[in-house]
Amino acid sequence: MLKFFKIIALLEGTSLLLLLLFAMPMKYMFHEPIFVKIIGMAHGILFVAYIIMAIMQKIESNWSFKTLGIISIASVIPFGTFYIDKKYLK
């Protein structure tokens, strides 16, 4: 299950970066909101999957609530999930 969580973390982090660095500028600079709708929906689904998988991994790996909190907070910080992958998901 750890391997699947790592994949979800990578996808979630990538979708956040795409949303912030591509979709939002397209919406506000070029008046193309469709990218926010598409990438935003994908990011939302991946975010929910990431949190669910983090809770499941906490139970399986016997993480502390502090570790779960750090891993959860990292999902809303750009590049956070990449850091988590290197630091916690070995």
Side-chain angles (χ1 to χ4, degrees):
M1 188 164 93
L2 182 61
K3 184 177 179 179
F4 185 62
F5 181 54
K6 291 175 85 167
I7 293 169
I8 294 294
L10 174 70
L11 293 173
E12 196 278 334
T14 303
S15 71
L16 177 61
L17 292 176
L18 281 172
L19 188 61
L20 294 175
L21 300 176
F22 174 73
M24 296 300 284
M26 290 300 288
K27 178 179 180 180
Y28 291 109
M29 294 168 63
F30 300 107
H31 308 289
E32 292 290 338
I34 190 69
F35 296 106
V36 172
K37 292 179 182 179
I38 295 168
I39 296 172
M41 175 63 78
H43 172 67
I45 292 168
L46 288 166
F47 174 77
V48 171
Y50 178 86
I51 296 298
I52 291 170
M53 291 295 297
I55 293 168
M56 292 171 62
Q57 193 64 42
K58 181 227 181 286
I59 294 167
E60 185 177 293
S61 298
N62 200 23
W63 289 341
S64 68
F65 282 104
K66 179 182 176 183
T67 301
L68 178 63
I70 291 168
I71 288 171
S72 297
I73 290 170
S75 68
V76 296
I77 300 171
F79 300 102
T81 57
F82 304 117
Y83 170 77
I84 292 301
D85 185 41
K86 297 292 182 195
K87 176 87 174 168
Y88 291 95
L89 305 180
K90 296 176 184 172

